[in-house]
Amino acid sequence: MSGERGGDDGSEPARGSVDESGEEGPSDSGSGEPAVGESGGSGPGAAESGGGGDPSTKLHPYSVPYRSLSRSFSTGSLFFFVGVFTSPGGGGDLLTLGAMVVVGIVLGIAYEIAYYQRFRYELTSDTFDVASGVVSRRDREVPLRRVQNVDVQQNVLQRALGLAAVNVETAGGGETEVVLHYVGEAEAERLQRLLRTGAREDAGQDGVESTEPGREPDEEELLFAIQPNELAILSVFTIDPGASLLATIALSFASGFDPTALVPLAPFEGGLPGSGLIALAWAALLFVLVAWIVSAVLTFSRYYGFRLTRAGEELRYERGLLQRYSGTIPLDKVQTLTVEESIPFRWIGYGSLAVETAGYAPGQSGSGGAESAVPIAERERVRALARSIEPFGDPGLESSPKRARERYVVRYGAVVAAVVAAGYAVDAATGALGDWYVLAALALAVPVAAHLKWANRGFAVGERYFFARTGFWKRTTKVVPHYRIQSVVDTRNVFQRRRRLASVTADTASSAAFFGRAATAYDIDARRATELREDLNDRLQERLRERKRHRLAGGEPPADAGADGERGEGRAGDATGA
C-alpha cells in the first residue's frame, strides 16, 4: 500500500522506519546525524515528535526569558510614557506610573510566551517550513533550492546562554526570509549544514552534482585568517558609517549638550582674520577624532578572528568579538566579485575582496548586498583568492573619453561655488565665519579631483567576464560573468547627452543592484556604449541559446551556461580572453 513505510514486495523499510523486530531502524546516513527531512531537534529546544506526533520543532526555551528582557523593557517604557502624557497636568503619581510599567512588562512577557508556543519550524526533504505569529498567523514554505545563505549570529550574552539566531536568505530577497530567534548552538549548526546540503541536493535534480545522503561533511580548507597586524591596519584606517552617530552622541554627553564647551573660543575673540573658520575647523577636527576612535573599536570588534574556509562548493566565514557571525557563501550563487583597493590601503599594497550573491546577506553593516570574503590582505593575495572563485585574467581596461573629464570639472566647480555661497549666507546671517571668501581656495583642487576621477574609471569585455572599475578614494573593480547578467541598461542624462556620453550597467541577480552598486561603465562614448550594450546582450543570448540546445538534446547543460543560477566547472582554461 502507498501509505506503508516498508513494502510487502521486498523493498527495504524507509529511513528511520520501524523494522520487524519492533525497533527503529538505523538512519541511512551512517553518521548518527539526522538527514534532511527529519526534525532532528535535540535538547530542550526540540519538539516531541515520537509516536506520530508533530514533527516540527520549537525554539529554545531560553529564548523566552531572553526575548522577554527586550520586549518587557520596550512595552514597560511605552506604558510609562503613556501614563505620563495621559495623566492630568502631564505628570502622574508614582504608584500609577509604576502599575502601568508593571502591566507593560507583564504583557511583554505574555507575548513572548505566546510567541514561543506558536512558533514552529520543520526541515523537510525539499522545503523549510515555518509557522509563526501571535495575533496574525503566518505559514511559510521556503524551497531549499532558493536558499542562498544561512548565517548564525551570537552576541556575548547569547553565547553564555548557548543561544544563536539563524538567518535564512533566499534568491532575489531584499531582506531576510526567515529568522529564528533563538535556537540552541548545536541546532543552529545543524540547520546551517542541512539547509545548505539540502539546497545542493535539490539543485542536483536540475543537473548540478548532488550531495549524497550520509556522505561525510566536506573537509574545510583554510583560505584566509586575518593576522594581528592586518586587523590593526584595518581598524586604524577604516571609517565605519555608524561611528559618526556614536561620535555625535559621545560629544553631546561630554559637552553637557553645549557645543561651545568643546571649542576654545578665547583665542578667537580678538577678531583675528579667519578666526571663525579656525574655530569651526577645530570643532570638525574634534568630531573626526572621536569618530575615528569609535570606528576603530567597531571595526576591531567586527572583524576579530576572521576566518575564511572552503568546503566543497561553498565558502564559510566566521568573525566578530562581541557579536559573532558565521555563515556560508555558496559558490554556485556568486553573482559578482568586487576587488576593493581604497586609500590608504592601496598605498601600502593592501586590498579586500567582497562577493555578491542573489540573496541579501545579514550582518553586512551597510555593505549593500556584498559580504566580505577577505576584509584585508596583500593585493596579490586578494587577486589570487578572487581567481580561485572565478578564473579571470588581467583585463586591459578602456578609459572614458577626455571630454568626460571636462564634465567632472564642471560638476566639482559647481560644488565649490555652492559651498562658497553657503559660507557667504551663513556669515551674512550670523557673522560667525568672518572671511568666508577663503572657501574659494577649494577651487584649486577641482582640476586635480576631476582628473583623478577620470583616471580611475574604466571597463573591459572579455570572453567570459565583464569588468568595471570606478572610484579614487574607494576604488572598486567588479568582475561579472556574462551568464550572470540579467539585463544591460544604457543611461544618458541631459548632461551626458551634451557631451555624447553614456553609462552602461550590467545588472545581475545580486541584491547590491538594489543599492545602485551594480557593475557600470561610466561616461563612455555614446557610440561605444551602444556597441557595449549590444555585445553584452549578444554574449548573454549566446549562452542561453547554448543551454537551450543542450536541454532539447537531452544532454548536460554547458559548463558555464548557468543562467538560472547554476555554477559550472572547467572555466579556468577559458579565462585568457579577459
Side-chain angles (χ1 to χ4, degrees):
M1 295 177 61
S2 60
E4 295 178 349
R5 307 188 75 174
D8 295 333
D9 56 356
S11 60
E12 296 182 0
R15 178 171 47 196
S17 62
V18 179
D19 61 19
E20 293 180 355
S21 65
E23 298 180 356
E24 185 175 356
S27 170
D28 288 344
S29 65
S31 60
E33 296 181 351
V36 176
E38 298 176 352
S39 176
S42 60
E48 298 178 358
S49 57
D54 185 4
S56 59
T57 309
K58 288 184 178 182
L59 300 174
H60 198 286
Y62 287 176
S63 66
V64 177
Y66 183 84
R67 289 171 56 94
S68 295
L69 286 175
S70 174
R71 179 71 64 176
S72 59
F73 177 79
S74 59
T75 54
S77 300
L78 175 63
F79 274 65
F80 173 80
F81 286 111
V82 169
V84 169
F85 287 106
T86 57
S87 299
D93 60 277
L94 294 179
L95 182 62
T96 302
L97 293 178
M100 295 193 69
V101 170
V102 171
V103 170
I105 292 175
V106 171
L107 288 178
I109 296 175
Y111 177 87
E112 291 303 332
I113 294 175
Y115 180 87
Y116 169 78
Q117 293 293 341
R118 292 176 62 82
F119 194 102
R120 295 288 190 278
Y121 65 90
E122 180 183 2
L123 182 59
T124 70
S125 60
D126 56 357
T127 62
F128 185 50
D129 304 335
V130 179
S132 61
V134 176
V135 179
S136 177
R137 195 68 175 166
R138 183 183 182 189
D139 296 326
R140 284 164 288 176
E141 291 186 0
V142 180
L144 295 184
R145 67 178 180 274
R146 294 186 61 238
V147 173
Q148 300 287 316
N149 307 308
V150 183
D151 295 83
V152 177
Q153 302 177 22
Q154 290 179 287
N155 59 30
V156 175
L157 181 57
Q158 290 164 6
R159 291 202 295 271
L161 295 175
L163 298 177
V166 178
N167 300 272
V168 181
E169 319 302 331
T170 59
E175 58 183 12
T176 304
E177 183 74 24
V178 175
V179 179
L180 304 182
H181 283 159
Y182 298 87
V183 298
E185 290 180 331
E187 175 70 356
E189 294 177 0
R190 185 188 77 92
L191 288 174
Q192 187 179 52
R193 181 177 65 255
L194 294 184
L195 280 170
R196 285 301 311 140
T197 303
R200 291 200 300 271
E201 289 179 357
D202 190 70
Q205 300 174 6
D206 296 326
V208 176
E209 182 181 357
S210 64
T211 303
E212 297 179 359
R215 193 184 74 178
E216 290 296 326
D218 295 315
E219 293 186 3
E220 293 191 19
E221 173 191 0
L222 179 63
L223 298 179
F224 176 80
I226 195 167
Q227 300 301 313
N229 63 314
E230 294 173 335
L231 181 59
I233 293 173
L234 183 66
S235 301
V236 169
F237 293 113
T238 297
I239 301 299
D240 188 278
S244 299
L245 176 61
L246 294 178
T248 302
I249 296 175
L251 288 175
S252 298
F253 279 99
S255 63
F257 297 93
D258 181 13
T260 60
L262 299 176
V263 180
L265 296 178
F268 310 126
E269 292 177 350
L272 296 176
S275 59
L277 289 176
I278 296 176
L280 184 62
W282 171 266
L285 178 62
L286 188 62
F287 173 80
V288 170
L289 178 62
V290 175
W292 173 69
I293 295 174
V294 172
S295 177
V297 172
L298 292 177
T299 303
F300 181 89
S301 175
R302 179 176 301 116
Y303 290 106
Y304 178 85
F306 186 98
R307 296 177 74 253
L308 179 71
T309 60
R310 179 168 183 166
E313 285 300 304
E314 67 182 15
L315 302 177
R316 299 176 183 175
Y317 67 89
E318 56 182 37
R319 60 179 174 84
L321 179 61
L322 301 179
Q323 182 82 4
R324 194 68 179 168
Y325 291 94
S326 65
T328 59
I329 304 174
L331 293 178
D332 59 335
K333 307 298 183 183
V334 173
Q335 304 291 313
T336 303
L337 298 180
T338 301
V339 177
E340 184 176 309
E341 300 169 290
S342 302
I343 289 178
F345 300 106
R346 189 162 75 241
W347 292 342
I348 55 179
Y350 282 90
S352 64
L353 173 66
V355 297
E356 300 170 8
T357 65
Y360 172 85
Q364 294 173 345
S365 304
S367 60
E371 181 61 59
S372 291
V374 178
I376 183 174
E378 294 181 356
R379 185 183 295 114
E380 292 304 319
R381 191 178 181 189
V382 168
R383 292 175 180 173
L385 287 170
R387 291 188 179 109
S388 70
I389 300 174
E390 288 289 353
F392 58 90
D394 291 323
L397 299 180
E398 296 183 42
S399 299
S400 303
K402 292 184 178 180
R403 60 181 180 275
R405 183 168 50 188
E406 299 172 2
R407 182 187 176 215
Y408 304 149
V409 170
V410 174
R411 178 190 298 178
Y412 291 147
V415 171
V416 171
V419 170
V420 174
Y424 170 76
V426 170
D427 183 69
T430 64
L433 295 183
D435 300 326
W436 56 268
Y437 49 82
V438 176
L439 294 172
L442 293 173
L444 298 176
V446 167
V448 177
H451 175 76
L452 292 176
K453 187 180 186 69
W454 171 80
N456 284 277
R457 283 185 164 178
F459 70 97
V461 181
E463 290 296 325
R464 302 288 181 180
Y465 302 95
F466 171 63
F467 302 85
R469 188 179 71 183
T470 188
F472 169 70
W473 297 104
K474 186 177 181 180
R475 189 171 72 188
T476 59
T477 303
K478 291 185 175 291
V479 183
V480 184
H482 292 321
Y483 66 89
R484 295 297 190 190
I485 297 175
Q486 300 284 315
S487 62
V488 183
V489 182
D490 182 340
T491 58
R492 312 180 189 198
N493 60 37
V494 61
F495 302 105
Q496 289 175 313
R497 289 197 298 269
R498 292 184 58 185
R499 290 181 170 82
R500 306 185 308 283
L501 300 174
S503 297
V504 178
T505 300
D507 273 329
T508 66
S510 167
S511 55
F514 301 153
F515 302 91
R517 300 179 62 179
T520 302
Y522 290 99
D523 293 322
I524 64 177
D525 182 77
R527 185 175 300 176
R528 181 69 180 96
T530 301
E531 295 174 355
L532 176 61
R533 185 191 68 233
E534 294 175 351
D535 187 13
L536 291 177
N537 277 321
D538 289 343
R539 292 177 185 273
L540 173 59
Q541 295 304 319
E542 179 183 352
R543 302 300 176 196
L544 295 177
R545 287 192 297 268
E546 186 177 357
R547 182 174 181 81
K548 184 177 181 180
R549 286 195 300 269
H550 278 75
R551 284 181 171 175
L552 292 177
E556 292 294 328
D560 63 343
D564 59 352
E566 298 175 2
R567 177 180 172 83
E569 299 177 353
R571 281 176 283 153
D574 297 323
T576 56

